Amino acid sequence: MKYAFISDIHANLEALEACFKVIDAEGVDSIACLGDIVGYGASPNECVELVRERASQVVIGNHDAAVVGTTETEYFNLDARSAVLWTRNALTPENVAFLRNLPYTVAVNDLRLVHASPSAPSDWIYLFNARDAAPEFAAFEERICFFGHTHFPGFFLEWQGKITQQPPPRATLRAGERAIINVGSVGQPRDGDPRAGFAIYDDSTGIAEIRRVFYDIERVQSRILDTPLPKSAAERLIWGM
Ligand code: ZN
């Protein structure tokens, strides 16, 4: 079975549509969304509606939870917080209800899906390196955990008790090997590559891949600049930071 994983869309419609175009050409069997559909960008309703229509599984992200009021925004920086307030006003009641009812984590076959970490899905901790990821392997029973949150795509692999970190774009899992995979960010990459990112995993080959897709960044920027959203949310897109 072939899966696509999208995460951290952050209300960037053009990036999301560009990813779906590639996903459709791949002929995947199932699409899952790992949260942060909204926050920062100018198209929150369009993005929520597209995800509702296309994704078989969706988990909640910290920005989604902040917008619907189920998590604190104290640890958000000023720009993130003002985007939360703008998004809260912009969303339709149906889309608010959809976000509010999302689970923190869900299992699909032998895969665990979560926004931030399997050990404490509602605490929004960040897994950046092998040291952060190592204790997380005991927190889920499935073979692979897919997550987002940091906006840095990559692979943490557990083989014969040893944890290693492997950079994108590809990891081929051996029989018995487990993994925690960051699928990157559709709408606000922060690894210096401005292209939209997502992951594809094929359980018949054990190959997991991070894909990057060009999209019309200028159009997204001008849409953000037409709103009272923080200018930084538009500016950073061109740098992928
Ligand atoms: Zn995010």
Side-chain angles (χ1 to χ4, degrees):
M1 190 153 163
K2 208 167 174 182
Y3 303 84
F5 299 95
I6 54 173
S7 189
D8 297 273
I9 297 151
H10 288 294
N12 183 334
L13 180 63
E14 281 76 3
L16 182 60
E17 287 176 335
C19 290
F20 276 135
K21 212 175 258 183
V22 176
I23 288 168
D24 289 342
E26 278 287 336
V28 303
D29 302 298
S30 174
I31 300 171
C33 175
L34 308 182
D36 277 6
I37 305 170
V38 301
Y40 297 121
S43 309
N45 285 305
E46 295 86 340
C47 288
V48 172
E49 280 151 24
L50 206 49
V51 167
R52 286 171 66 178
E53 185 191 315
R54 301 293 315 272
S56 316
Q57 289 85 26
V58 186
V59 295
I60 196 165
N62 54 316
H63 285 258
D64 309 317
V67 164
V68 301
T70 53
T71 201
E72 299 295 326
T73 54
E74 274 148 31
Y75 66 97
F76 277 53
N77 66 42
L78 221 59
D79 284 350
R81 203 182 304 177
S82 78
V84 163
L85 297 177
W86 180 87
T87 305
R88 196 175 281 166
N89 275 314
L91 280 178
T92 66
E94 293 76 26
N95 289 335
V96 169
F98 172 79
L99 294 178
R100 187 170 286 140
N101 288 320
L102 291 176
Y104 284 102
T105 179
V106 77
V108 195
N109 301 325
D110 208 14
L111 312 176
R112 169 66 44 186
L113 314 183
V114 68
H115 181 65
S117 79
S119 66
S122 60
D123 287 350
W124 316 121
I125 61 175
Y126 290 88
L127 311 181
F128 283 113
N129 51 46
R131 221 165 102 185
D132 300 334
E136 298 290 332
F137 279 94
F140 63 101
E141 287 174 356
E142 297 76 17
R143 185 175 179 208
I144 308 176
C145 174
F146 288 89
F147 77 111
H149 193 43
T150 66
H151 299 210
F152 282 90
F155 308 93
F156 300 110
L157 305 171
E158 186 197 55
W159 175 245
Q160 296 176 337
K162 224 182 129 202
I163 316 285
T164 53
Q165 185 169 13
Q166 193 172 307
R170 191 171 296 103
T172 305
L173 302 191
R174 292 168 277 206
E177 192 166 24
R178 295 179 77 218
I180 298 178
I181 298 175
N182 192 309
V183 306
S185 170
V186 169
Q188 201 188 82
R190 292 181 191 157
D191 60 346
D193 181 343
R195 293 176 297 169
F198 67 95
I200 287 193
Y201 171 64
D202 188 337
D203 66 5
S204 68
T205 59
I207 296 175
E209 271 183 301
I210 307 297
R211 296 291 177 85
R212 302 306 284 261
V213 187
F214 286 105
Y215 71 94
D216 191 345
I217 292 178
E218 275 178 33
R219 197 163 147 199
V220 176
Q221 289 180 313
S222 72
R223 211 201 290 261
I224 291 172
L225 296 173
D226 281 346
T227 71
L229 282 164
K231 279 192 174 52
S232 65
E235 286 157 359
R236 65 194 301 174
L237 292 175
I238 200 78
W239 308 111
M241 303 291 260

